Each structure stands twice: as structure tokens, then as C-alpha cells.
Amino acid sequence: MKVFKFGGASVKDPNAVRNVSNILRLFDGEKRIIVISAMGKTTNALEEIAKAVHQNNPLVVKEKATFLRDFHTEILNDLFPKKENGIFETINTIFDQLEAANNQNESSFDEVYDSIVSLGEVISTHIVTAFLQTEGHSARWANATQLIRTNHKFREAEIDWRTTETLITQDFLPYFSEVDIQVTQGFIGHTSDGKTTTLGREGSDFTAGVFAYCTNAESVTIWKDVPGMLNADPKYFDDTVKLDKISFREAIELSYYGASVIHPKTIKPLQNKNIPLYVKSFIEPEKDGTTIQADATSDTLVPSFIFKMNQVLVSITPRDFSFIVEENLSDIFIRLARANAKINVMQNSALSFSILLDRDKIDISQLLGLFENTYQVTVQENLELVTIRHYDDATIQRVKGDKTVILEQKTLETARLILQ
Ligand code: ASP
Ligand code: MG
């Protein structure tokens, strides 16, 4: 059994969907689980619709839903020129429901969000399955909202592994005696009382990990528009290199520091069952991508660079000049938690405690208000954070260039630089 995951970019238009079919043909005869995301930028558009539904704004709902319906209908018209396929009706019914969506029973925003935003994956998987069938693949559509069981934490739902494993074993695996391919939705699940949940943005990779874990699959392949995992984001870095092979642990470290190729939760279930993860190009599927597996011997071969822009350094000093010790540290952390601060780097000295945050995720005036009486707080904006895994002097010099180093932290394997 192989698990394949195709993200939004790999099903963004008719030719992308045809390409999925061609890739699957390379694996004819094998049993395959296909996990698919919403097409292109559909999830972002659905987020807008969810807001409008929650605010009971039917005009906006209708307008934005029509836009999405047109986007998908264009893809359908191209993939099914004879228009004889029942898929048109299936998709139109979903859009009719979406247009009529309202929040009369006054559910929380997060619950409304999940019920609306999950439709992107439902739609894309119906379209891809229908297309695969017309292309002669032996494929069926499987409903992830009857297989992936979660708790009630809408928008960030956590997997109930036991129940999910049972459901997949009883209600999903047996179909492989009838078909070779089962297509299902990434990113979505359901609660014990049948409500739809989502696993957090970009969560489809994680769904692939869940299916692989629960079916003891031989491997997972994530098909992407890049040749594999690169050692830096090409947006910020010239001459990137592909990482041919890295360990599960290294992949977790890289995603922890902000490398965004794979959803961070994906690795753990695979590591637990020692299932290799391949990241490969859907443009050049015959080429080797990146292999993520247990063996760590290749981890140090290539240094990796992770950039975070638009950082803000907040330095906190007790007004009474007391030392930074455990008592005021715990007080500082309580206040930071109240401000919902997600800390990228921290450092303390005798009299001050400094943290680095994403500027766009923090409300600075709220933060200042929370500290104002007891602490003096200074804020330095427009910084960047560079993390280098497996650094040496040359790589550090390279990222520094002529920038000023505000702070530098090193462990054996990782260097972190705050630059201005
Ligand atoms: N469609 C969802 C999102 O865009 C899940 C995913 O793509 O992984 O966040
Ligand atoms: Mg997506």
C-alpha cells in the first residue's frame, strides 16, 4: 500500500488534474490511497465565506460562492467536455448547499468555519475521482469525515487514533478488494457526534500520515511543485540545493524552525511506524526527490537555512531592577501567554528577558499593556531571524553579509541569528 498526497497546487487546474492521473498510471497495479487538498486557493476563498455565514450575510455568501462555483465549473467543463458525467450534479448540489448556508443555530465561529472550509476538499476529491474513473483507473471516493475521528477542537482538531484506526480498518481497507485506488480528503475529520472538523491549515500532509499509520503503508509520497525539500526557501536564497535524504528527526527540527515544506505533525506517525516519506516533483515524477527516513547519517551533509522575516524583539526589564530569576520568569510567561505570544527565540541577561516574535501575529499595544506597571519594555522592529542547521563559519558569514547582528545563539547543530 502506498499513500500519495496531492496539494492544492497539484490540482489547481484541468491540466494539473490530468497530470495526477498520469502520475498514478506510473504505479498501475498497486494499491494506492490518494489524499487530496482543495483546488488552488479554494480554502482561502472558503474562509471568507465562513466569515460571511457566521455574520449571517447572505449576499456576500452568495457572491463569493458563485465565484468558487464558476472556478470549479470551468475545470469540470474542461475535464468532461461531453458533460454527461454525474459529477456536474454532485458539485452543483454542494454549491447549492454552500449558497444557502446560514448560522441560524448560532454555532461558534470555529464550528461554522470547519463546516464550510472543509467543502474545498470534498469538491476536489469528487472531481478528481470522477476524472480518474473516466480515464480508466479503478478508483472510488472515500469520505474522510467518516474515517478520521477527532475531538471537538474545531480548526485544530486532534486525532482520536484508536477510533480512526478501527474505522479505517473496518470501513475503508475492505474496499481494496474492489478497487486499486481510494481517493479521500486531506485536512478534514469528524467528531463522535458527526460534526465536521479540520486539522489546521495545510493539514492535508498530516492526513496522509494518519492514513499511512493506520494502514501500515509501505511509504508516503507528497507530490509538490518543487524537486524535493530544499536547503532554503528560494525566495530568500540563491543556489539552493535539494536534500536527498534526511532523518525523521532532522525533518522535525527543520519544520520546528519554520521550514514549510511539510506540515510539522506529519512526521511523528511515520517515524513511529518507520514508514519512509518521499517528497517528489509532480512536474518530473520520475526524478528522485527527498527521502525522509530513520537513518541520520546524511543529515550533516548540507547546511539548511530557514528565514523568518518581519520579526520584533521585545525586551522586558523589571522596573525595580530585580534580577531575572525563576519567580519573575514565570510571571513574564503568564503575561506572554495572555498576549498569545508565540516565541521564536528567547534570551535572558541579569536584568532583562528578550523574546523574538512574528510581528504580524502579535498585538504590540496589548502586549505593552500587559507588562506596563511592573516592567519596562522596549521593542525593536523590522528584524529577521535566520536559523542555520549544520552551520560553519562560512555559512554564518554568508547570511550575515553586511547586516548587524543583534543576537546570536549557537548549539552544536544549530545557529540562530537575529539580524537588522
Ligand atoms: N486546503 C487546506 C489548506 O489550504 C489543507 C491543505 O492544503 O493542506 O490549508
Ligand atoms: Mg491547500
Side-chain angles (χ1 to χ4, degrees):
M1 179 86 63
K2 288 189 164 77
V3 178
F4 288 170
K5 183 260 173 173
F6 291 95
S10 54
V11 289
K12 70 177 189 325
D13 58 29
N15 281 339
V17 176
R18 289 190 181 96
N19 187 49
V20 169
S21 168
N22 293 338
I23 289 177
L24 290 177
R25 206 152 272 144
L26 301 174
F27 300 86
D28 264 347
E30 298 193 54
K31 301 291 182 199
R32 285 147 289 169
I33 300 170
I34 315 299
V35 175
I36 297 188
S37 302
M39 293 176 149
K41 304 269 176 246
T42 299
T43 306
N44 295 351
L46 286 168
E47 284 188 333
E48 298 295 316
I49 296 176
K51 271 183 221 153
V53 169
H54 187 247
Q55 292 159 356
N56 280 317
N57 193 339
L59 287 178
V60 175
V61 173
K62 167 99 177 136
E63 180 204 333
K64 295 195 188 277
T66 304
F67 173 81
L68 265 190
R69 190 199 292 260
D70 293 348
F71 167 74
H72 286 91
T73 306
E74 229 174 89
I75 294 176
L76 284 175
N77 287 337
D78 193 308
L79 291 174
F80 306 92
K82 292 197 200 117
K83 304 193 182 167
E84 282 159 356
N85 200 294
I87 185 67
F88 285 89
E89 207 187 316
T90 308
I91 300 305
N92 274 322
T93 308
I94 297 171
F95 277 109
D96 292 344
Q97 283 163 2
L98 179 62
E99 276 180 15
N102 59 60
N103 189 25
Q104 269 155 11
N105 46 6
E106 303 197 344
S107 305
S108 72
F109 174 65
D110 290 352
E111 185 175 339
V112 172
Y113 177 102
D114 282 0
S115 70
I116 302 286
V117 168
S118 55
L119 293 177
E121 272 69 11
V122 176
I123 294 165
S124 67
T125 49
H126 275 302
I127 295 176
V128 172
T129 310
F131 183 72
L132 293 178
Q133 288 165 344
T134 62
E135 291 291 293
H137 291 282
S138 151
R140 85 178 271 273
W141 182 85
N143 186 352
T145 65
Q146 287 169 4
L147 300 167
I148 304 285
R149 172 67 59 83
T150 70
N151 62 7
H152 282 75
K153 220 167 150 192
F154 295 103
R155 295 185 71 179
E156 278 297 336
E158 289 155 5
I159 305 290
D160 170 349
W161 288 93
R162 269 216 163 153
T163 310
T164 300
E165 196 161 9
T166 307
L167 290 171
I168 286 178
T169 307
Q170 289 177 358
D171 303 338
F172 175 78
L173 280 179
Y175 285 102
F176 277 115
S177 62
E178 296 166 25
V179 294
D180 289 340
I181 295 174
Q182 296 203 65
V183 179
T184 196
Q185 305 80 51
F187 175 57
I188 72 180
H190 71 291
T191 61
S192 52
D193 53 347
K195 289 181 170 152
T196 299
T197 51
T198 65
L199 310 178
R201 286 299 309 261
E202 307 303 326
S204 295
D205 292 352
F206 182 39
T207 302
V210 174
F211 270 93
Y213 180 95
C214 293
T215 61
N216 295 309
E218 62 175 88
S219 64
V220 174
T221 307
I222 297 184
W223 297 94
K224 302 209 52 122
D225 54 1
V226 287
M229 264 181 98
L230 304 178
N231 74 325
D233 184 336
K235 239 191 323 196
Y236 305 121
F237 205 78
D238 298 331
D239 11 284
T240 51
V241 245
K242 178 167 73 72
L243 304 170
D244 293 334
K245 192 175 147 185
I246 58 169
S247 67
F248 291 121
R249 182 169 166 220
E250 182 69 12
I252 289 174
E253 295 274 358
L254 290 172
S255 74
Y256 171 79
Y257 289 119
S260 58
V261 181
I262 306 164
H263 189 279
K265 288 184 188 162
T266 314
I267 306 291
K268 185 171 174 276
L270 302 181
Q271 188 273 341
N272 288 170
K273 288 214 173 164
N274 202 8
I275 299 169
L277 171 62
Y278 306 115
V279 182
K280 280 170 71 96
S281 160
F282 61 69
I283 302 155
E284 299 178 302
E286 65 294 336
K287 289 212 170 141
D288 287 337
T290 298
T291 304
I292 300 164
Q293 37 66 67
D295 172 40
T297 47
S298 305
D299 285 356
T300 54
L301 295 180
V302 179
S304 289
F305 301 82
I306 300 140
F307 296 83
K308 276 181 181 269
M309 301 307 180
N310 200 9
Q311 300 290 297
V312 48
L313 187 69
V314 178
S315 296
I316 302 161
T317 309
R319 284 194 189 274
D320 64 0
F321 273 82
S322 53
F323 287 130
I324 293 289
V325 289
E326 284 71 8
E327 289 97 85
N328 45 29
L329 272 180
S330 67
D331 179 56
I332 288 171
F333 276 112
I334 289 166
R335 291 171 201 245
L336 287 174
R338 250 184 251 146
N340 222 344
K342 304 258 181 311
I343 300 170
N344 293 329
V345 175
M346 56 187 161
Q347 173 123 330
N348 64 320
S349 66
L351 292 176
S352 90
F353 180 69
S354 301
I355 52 166
L356 190 73
L357 307 167
D358 294 331
R359 178 65 187 88
D360 57 4
K361 293 199 191 118
I362 191 80
D363 177 343
I364 294 284
S365 56
Q366 185 209 5
L367 183 85
L368 293 177
L370 282 164
F371 281 91
E372 129 187 285
N373 295 328
T374 327
Y375 301 88
Q376 192 184 342
V377 179
T378 61
V379 173
Q380 200 174 355
E381 300 207 47
N382 293 321
L383 303 175
E384 65 188 70
L385 169 64
V386 187
T387 304
I388 313 174
R389 292 279 295 162
H390 313 293
Y391 65 92
D392 58 16
D393 286 343
T395 49
I396 288 186
Q397 281 314 321
R398 177 172 176 181
V399 298
K400 267 189 201 166
D402 46 18
K403 291 175 185 146
T404 311
V405 180
I406 305 288
L407 196 148
E408 185 168 327
Q409 279 183 354
K410 285 179 184 167
T411 61
L412 215 50
E413 294 169 317
T414 310
R416 311 197 78 196
L417 305 166
I418 301 177
L419 301 172
Q420 187 176 36

PDB file of all heavy atoms in Angstrom, residues 188-214:
ATOM      1  N   ILE A 188      -9.489  17.117   6.794  1.00  0.00           N
ATOM      2  CA  ILE A 188     -10.783  17.145   7.488  1.00  0.00           C
ATOM      3  C   ILE A 188     -11.036  15.859   8.277  1.00  0.00           C
ATOM      4  O   ILE A 188     -10.464  14.812   7.997  1.00  0.00           O
ATOM      5  CB  ILE A 188     -11.957  17.439   6.516  1.00  0.00           C
ATOM      6  CG1 ILE A 188     -12.270  16.251   5.600  1.00  0.00           C
ATOM      7  CG2 ILE A 188     -11.651  18.649   5.663  1.00  0.00           C
ATOM      8  CD1 ILE A 188     -13.435  16.551   4.646  1.00  0.00           C
ATOM      9  N   GLY A 189     -11.907  15.981   9.273  1.00  0.00           N
ATOM     10  CA  GLY A 189     -12.273  14.838  10.093  1.00  0.00           C
ATOM     11  C   GLY A 189     -13.675  15.046  10.646  1.00  0.00           C
ATOM     12  O   GLY A 189     -14.422  15.893  10.146  1.00  0.00           O
ATOM     13  N   HIS A 190     -14.010  14.273  11.669  1.00  0.00           N
ATOM     14  CA  HIS A 190     -15.339  14.425  12.255  1.00  0.00           C
ATOM     15  C   HIS A 190     -15.292  14.079  13.739  1.00  0.00           C
ATOM     16  O   HIS A 190     -14.423  13.332  14.194  1.00  0.00           O
ATOM     17  CB  HIS A 190     -16.355  13.517  11.555  1.00  0.00           C
ATOM     18  CG  HIS A 190     -16.156  12.059  11.869  1.00  0.00           C
ATOM     19  ND1 HIS A 190     -15.062  11.347  11.416  1.00  0.00           N
ATOM     20  CD2 HIS A 190     -16.887  11.186  12.614  1.00  0.00           C
ATOM     21  CE1 HIS A 190     -15.146  10.095  11.860  1.00  0.00           C
ATOM     22  NE2 HIS A 190     -16.235   9.964  12.594  1.00  0.00           N
ATOM     23  N   THR A 191     -16.269  14.607  14.485  1.00  0.00           N
ATOM     24  CA  THR A 191     -16.346  14.335  15.917  1.00  0.00           C
ATOM     25  C   THR A 191     -17.232  13.112  16.146  1.00  0.00           C
ATOM     26  O   THR A 191     -17.912  12.637  15.225  1.00  0.00           O
ATOM     27  CB  THR A 191     -16.990  15.519  16.655  1.00  0.00           C
ATOM     28  OG1 THR A 191     -18.323  15.681  16.147  1.00  0.00           O
ATOM     29  CG2 THR A 191     -16.211  16.799  16.426  1.00  0.00           C
ATOM     30  N   SER A 192     -17.250  12.658  17.399  1.00  0.00           N
ATOM     31  CA  SER A 192     -18.064  11.481  17.723  1.00  0.00           C
ATOM     32  C   SER A 192     -19.542  11.736  17.448  1.00  0.00           C
ATOM     33  O   SER A 192     -20.295  10.812  17.165  1.00  0.00           O
ATOM     34  CB  SER A 192     -17.861  11.099  19.192  1.00  0.00           C
ATOM     35  OG  SER A 192     -18.080  12.238  19.997  1.00  0.00           O
ATOM     36  N   ASP A 193     -19.971  13.008  17.509  1.00  0.00           N
ATOM     37  CA  ASP A 193     -21.379  13.287  17.196  1.00  0.00           C
ATOM     38  C   ASP A 193     -21.558  13.788  15.761  1.00  0.00           C
ATOM     39  O   ASP A 193     -22.535  14.470  15.445  1.00  0.00           O
ATOM     40  CB  ASP A 193     -21.997  14.254  18.223  1.00  0.00           C
ATOM     41  CG  ASP A 193     -21.188  15.532  18.387  1.00  0.00           C
ATOM     42  OD1 ASP A 193     -20.030  15.579  17.913  1.00  0.00           O
ATOM     43  OD2 ASP A 193     -21.707  16.493  18.981  1.00  0.00           O
ATOM     44  N   GLY A 194     -20.593  13.467  14.921  1.00  0.00           N
ATOM     45  CA  GLY A 194     -20.796  13.644  13.486  1.00  0.00           C
ATOM     46  C   GLY A 194     -20.589  15.048  12.949  1.00  0.00           C
ATOM     47  O   GLY A 194     -20.975  15.351  11.829  1.00  0.00           O
ATOM     48  N   LYS A 195     -19.943  15.914  13.736  1.00  0.00           N
ATOM     49  CA  LYS A 195     -19.671  17.259  13.206  1.00  0.00           C
ATOM     50  C   LYS A 195     -18.343  17.258  12.453  1.00  0.00           C
ATOM     51  O   LYS A 195     -17.395  16.577  12.859  1.00  0.00           O
ATOM     52  CB  LYS A 195     -19.601  18.258  14.357  1.00  0.00           C
ATOM     53  CG  LYS A 195     -20.968  18.494  14.955  1.00  0.00           C
ATOM     54  CD  LYS A 195     -20.937  19.493  16.065  1.00  0.00           C
ATOM     55  CE  LYS A 195     -22.354  19.857  16.450  1.00  0.00           C
ATOM     56  NZ  LYS A 195     -22.452  20.269  17.845  1.00  0.00           N
ATOM     57  N   THR A 196     -18.278  18.052  11.408  1.00  0.00           N
ATOM     58  CA  THR A 196     -17.043  18.107  10.623  1.00  0.00           C
ATOM     59  C   THR A 196     -16.010  18.977  11.325  1.00  0.00           C
ATOM     60  O   THR A 196     -16.338  20.038  11.854  1.00  0.00           O
ATOM     61  CB  THR A 196     -17.342  18.662   9.224  1.00  0.00           C
ATOM     62  OG1 THR A 196     -18.257  17.780   8.587  1.00  0.00           O
ATOM     63  CG2 THR A 196     -16.081  18.758   8.381  1.00  0.00           C
ATOM     64  N   THR A 197     -14.768  18.520  11.321  1.00  0.00           N
ATOM     65  CA  THR A 197     -13.664  19.287  11.908  1.00  0.00           C
ATOM     66  C   THR A 197     -12.567  19.463  10.862  1.00  0.00           C
ATOM     67  O   THR A 197     -12.572  18.772   9.838  1.00  0.00           O
ATOM     68  CB  THR A 197     -13.062  18.542  13.116  1.00  0.00           C
ATOM     69  OG1 THR A 197     -12.753  17.197  12.724  1.00  0.00           O
ATOM     70  CG2 THR A 197     -14.027  18.513  14.289  1.00  0.00           C
ATOM     71  N   THR A 198     -11.639  20.392  11.126  1.00  0.00           N
ATOM     72  CA  THR A 198     -10.433  20.469  10.300  1.00  0.00           C
ATOM     73  C   THR A 198      -9.198  20.395  11.198  1.00  0.00           C
ATOM     74  O   THR A 198      -9.268  20.656  12.399  1.00  0.00           O
ATOM     75  CB  THR A 198     -10.381  21.753   9.435  1.00  0.00           C
ATOM     76  OG1 THR A 198     -10.276  22.893  10.289  1.00  0.00           O
ATOM     77  CG2 THR A 198     -11.605  21.883   8.546  1.00  0.00           C
ATOM     78  N   LEU A 199      -8.093  20.021  10.585  1.00  0.00           N
ATOM     79  CA  LEU A 199      -6.888  19.690  11.351  1.00  0.00           C
ATOM     80  C   LEU A 199      -5.880  20.829  11.405  1.00  0.00           C
ATOM     81  O   LEU A 199      -4.753  20.630  11.829  1.00  0.00           O
ATOM     82  CB  LEU A 199      -6.211  18.457  10.726  1.00  0.00           C
ATOM     83  CG  LEU A 199      -7.110  17.250  10.464  1.00  0.00           C
ATOM     84  CD1 LEU A 199      -6.319  16.132   9.792  1.00  0.00           C
ATOM     85  CD2 LEU A 199      -7.727  16.742  11.764  1.00  0.00           C
ATOM     86  N   GLY A 200      -6.267  22.017  10.974  1.00  0.00           N
ATOM     87  CA  GLY A 200      -5.323  23.146  10.916  1.00  0.00           C
ATOM     88  C   GLY A 200      -4.886  23.365   9.485  1.00  0.00           C
ATOM     89  O   GLY A 200      -4.734  22.399   8.734  1.00  0.00           O
ATOM     90  N   ARG A 201      -4.670  24.634   9.121  1.00  0.00           N
ATOM     91  CA  ARG A 201      -4.319  24.967   7.744  1.00  0.00           C
ATOM     92  C   ARG A 201      -3.115  24.136   7.283  1.00  0.00           C
ATOM     93  O   ARG A 201      -2.219  23.840   8.045  1.00  0.00           O
ATOM     94  CB  ARG A 201      -3.994  26.467   7.607  1.00  0.00           C
ATOM     95  CG  ARG A 201      -5.200  27.390   7.655  1.00  0.00           C
ATOM     96  CD  ARG A 201      -6.216  27.154   6.542  1.00  0.00           C
ATOM     97  NE  ARG A 201      -5.714  27.124   5.196  1.00  0.00           N
ATOM     98  CZ  ARG A 201      -5.743  28.121   4.330  1.00  0.00           C
ATOM     99  NH1 ARG A 201      -6.256  29.273   4.686  1.00  0.00           N
ATOM    100  NH2 ARG A 201      -5.278  27.982   3.100  1.00  0.00           N
ATOM    101  N   GLU A 202      -3.152  23.775   6.043  1.00  0.00           N
ATOM    102  CA  GLU A 202      -2.117  22.945   5.396  1.00  0.00           C
ATOM    103  C   GLU A 202      -2.073  21.533   5.991  1.00  0.00           C
ATOM    104  O   GLU A 202      -1.066  20.855   5.913  1.00  0.00           O
ATOM    105  CB  GLU A 202      -0.727  23.605   5.483  1.00  0.00           C
ATOM    106  CG  GLU A 202      -0.670  25.043   4.971  1.00  0.00           C
ATOM    107  CD  GLU A 202      -1.137  25.195   3.534  1.00  0.00           C
ATOM    108  OE1 GLU A 202      -0.910  24.278   2.734  1.00  0.00           O
ATOM    109  OE2 GLU A 202      -1.773  26.224   3.229  1.00  0.00           O
ATOM    110  N   GLY A 203      -3.179  21.108   6.575  1.00  0.00           N
ATOM    111  CA  GLY A 203      -3.180  19.840   7.294  1.00  0.00           C
ATOM    112  C   GLY A 203      -3.300  18.576   6.443  1.00  0.00           C
ATOM    113  O   GLY A 203      -3.310  17.469   6.987  1.00  0.00           O
ATOM    114  N   SER A 204      -3.364  18.718   5.141  1.00  0.00           N
ATOM    115  CA  SER A 204      -3.536  17.515   4.311  1.00  0.00           C
ATOM    116  C   SER A 204      -2.346  16.556   4.387  1.00  0.00           C
ATOM    117  O   SER A 204      -2.520  15.339   4.306  1.00  0.00           O
ATOM    118  CB  SER A 204      -3.761  17.892   2.847  1.00  0.00           C
ATOM    119  OG  SER A 204      -4.964  18.586   2.705  1.00  0.00           O
ATOM    120  N   ASP A 205      -1.162  17.109   4.525  1.00  0.00           N
ATOM    121  CA  ASP A 205       0.017  16.237   4.687  1.00  0.00           C
ATOM    122  C   ASP A 205      -0.199  15.319   5.891  1.00  0.00           C
ATOM    123  O   ASP A 205       0.116  14.128   5.860  1.00  0.00           O
ATOM    124  CB  ASP A 205       1.280  17.056   5.002  1.00  0.00           C
ATOM    125  CG  ASP A 205       1.730  17.916   3.852  1.00  0.00           C
ATOM    126  OD1 ASP A 205       1.175  17.779   2.755  1.00  0.00           O
ATOM    127  OD2 ASP A 205       2.655  18.727   4.075  1.00  0.00           O
ATOM    128  N   PHE A 206      -0.705  15.914   6.949  1.00  0.00           N
ATOM    129  CA  PHE A 206      -0.915  15.159   8.184  1.00  0.00           C
ATOM    130  C   PHE A 206      -1.914  14.030   7.942  1.00  0.00           C
ATOM    131  O   PHE A 206      -1.712  12.898   8.412  1.00  0.00           O
ATOM    132  CB  PHE A 206      -1.385  16.124   9.278  1.00  0.00           C
ATOM    133  CG  PHE A 206      -1.592  15.493  10.624  1.00  0.00           C
ATOM    134  CD1 PHE A 206      -0.735  14.515  11.107  1.00  0.00           C
ATOM    135  CD2 PHE A 206      -2.654  15.895  11.433  1.00  0.00           C
ATOM    136  CE1 PHE A 206      -0.936  13.933  12.360  1.00  0.00           C
ATOM    137  CE2 PHE A 206      -2.857  15.340  12.681  1.00  0.00           C
ATOM    138  CZ  PHE A 206      -2.003  14.353  13.143  1.00  0.00           C
ATOM    139  N   THR A 207      -2.992  14.324   7.206  1.00  0.00           N
ATOM    140  CA  THR A 207      -3.960  13.266   6.888  1.00  0.00           C
ATOM    141  C   THR A 207      -3.261  12.097   6.200  1.00  0.00           C
ATOM    142  O   THR A 207      -3.546  10.925   6.507  1.00  0.00           O
ATOM    143  CB  THR A 207      -5.068  13.808   5.956  1.00  0.00           C
ATOM    144  OG1 THR A 207      -5.701  14.911   6.592  1.00  0.00           O
ATOM    145  CG2 THR A 207      -6.089  12.732   5.625  1.00  0.00           C
ATOM    146  N   ALA A 208      -2.340  12.396   5.285  1.00  0.00           N
ATOM    147  CA  ALA A 208      -1.609  11.318   4.602  1.00  0.00           C
ATOM    148  C   ALA A 208      -0.841  10.486   5.633  1.00  0.00           C
ATOM    149  O   ALA A 208      -0.818   9.255   5.567  1.00  0.00           O
ATOM    150  CB  ALA A 208      -0.657  11.912   3.554  1.00  0.00           C
ATOM    151  N   GLY A 209      -0.253  11.178   6.620  1.00  0.00           N
ATOM    152  CA  GLY A 209       0.459  10.474   7.688  1.00  0.00           C
ATOM    153  C   GLY A 209      -0.479   9.596   8.506  1.00  0.00           C
ATOM    154  O   GLY A 209      -0.134   8.477   8.889  1.00  0.00           O
ATOM    155  N   VAL A 210      -1.685  10.097   8.766  1.00  0.00           N
ATOM    156  CA  VAL A 210      -2.657   9.332   9.562  1.00  0.00           C
ATOM    157  C   VAL A 210      -3.068   8.065   8.801  1.00  0.00           C
ATOM    158  O   VAL A 210      -3.093   6.962   9.365  1.00  0.00           O
ATOM    159  CB  VAL A 210      -3.901  10.193   9.891  1.00  0.00           C
ATOM    160  CG1 VAL A 210      -4.966   9.357  10.594  1.00  0.00           C
ATOM    161  CG2 VAL A 210      -3.511  11.397  10.742  1.00  0.00           C
ATOM    162  N   PHE A 211      -3.385   8.207   7.527  1.00  0.00           N
ATOM    163  CA  PHE A 211      -3.770   7.027   6.742  1.00  0.00           C
ATOM    164  C   PHE A 211      -2.622   6.016   6.660  1.00  0.00           C
ATOM    165  O   PHE A 211      -2.843   4.812   6.762  1.00  0.00           O
ATOM    166  CB  PHE A 211      -4.231   7.428   5.331  1.00  0.00           C
ATOM    167  CG  PHE A 211      -5.703   7.705   5.260  1.00  0.00           C
ATOM    168  CD1 PHE A 211      -6.196   8.984   5.427  1.00  0.00           C
ATOM    169  CD2 PHE A 211      -6.605   6.663   5.058  1.00  0.00           C
ATOM    170  CE1 PHE A 211      -7.558   9.249   5.392  1.00  0.00           C
ATOM    171  CE2 PHE A 211      -7.973   6.916   5.020  1.00  0.00           C
ATOM    172  CZ  PHE A 211      -8.456   8.211   5.184  1.00  0.00           C
ATOM    173  N   ALA A 212      -1.402   6.521   6.494  1.00  0.00           N
ATOM    174  CA  ALA A 212      -0.255   5.608   6.396  1.00  0.00           C
ATOM    175  C   ALA A 212      -0.085   4.840   7.705  1.00  0.00           C
ATOM    176  O   ALA A 212       0.100   3.621   7.717  1.00  0.00           O
ATOM    177  CB  ALA A 212       1.005   6.392   6.055  1.00  0.00           C
ATOM    178  N   TYR A 213      -0.191   5.565   8.803  1.00  0.00           N
ATOM    179  CA  TYR A 213      -0.042   4.947  10.129  1.00  0.00           C
ATOM    180  C   TYR A 213      -1.104   3.864  10.321  1.00  0.00           C
ATOM    181  O   TYR A 213      -0.807   2.736  10.737  1.00  0.00           O
ATOM    182  CB  TYR A 213      -0.156   6.028  11.202  1.00  0.00           C
ATOM    183  CG  TYR A 213      -0.012   5.515  12.611  1.00  0.00           C
ATOM    184  CD1 TYR A 213       1.217   5.541  13.259  1.00  0.00           C
ATOM    185  CD2 TYR A 213      -1.125   5.007  13.300  1.00  0.00           C
ATOM    186  CE1 TYR A 213       1.352   5.072  14.554  1.00  0.00           C
ATOM    187  CE2 TYR A 213      -0.997   4.535  14.591  1.00  0.00           C
ATOM    188  CZ  TYR A 213       0.235   4.564  15.223  1.00  0.00           C
ATOM    189  OH  TYR A 213       0.361   4.094  16.502  1.00  0.00           O
ATOM    190  N   CYS A 214      -2.354   4.210  10.016  1.00  0.00           N
ATOM    191  CA  CYS A 214      -3.464   3.305  10.314  1.00  0.00           C
ATOM    192  C   CYS A 214      -3.530   2.116   9.354  1.00  0.00           C
ATOM    193  O   CYS A 214      -4.221   1.136   9.642  1.00  0.00           O
ATOM    194  CB  CYS A 214      -4.788   4.071  10.286  1.00  0.00           C
ATOM    195  SG  CYS A 214      -4.919   5.280  11.614  1.00  0.00           S
TER     196      CYS A 214
END
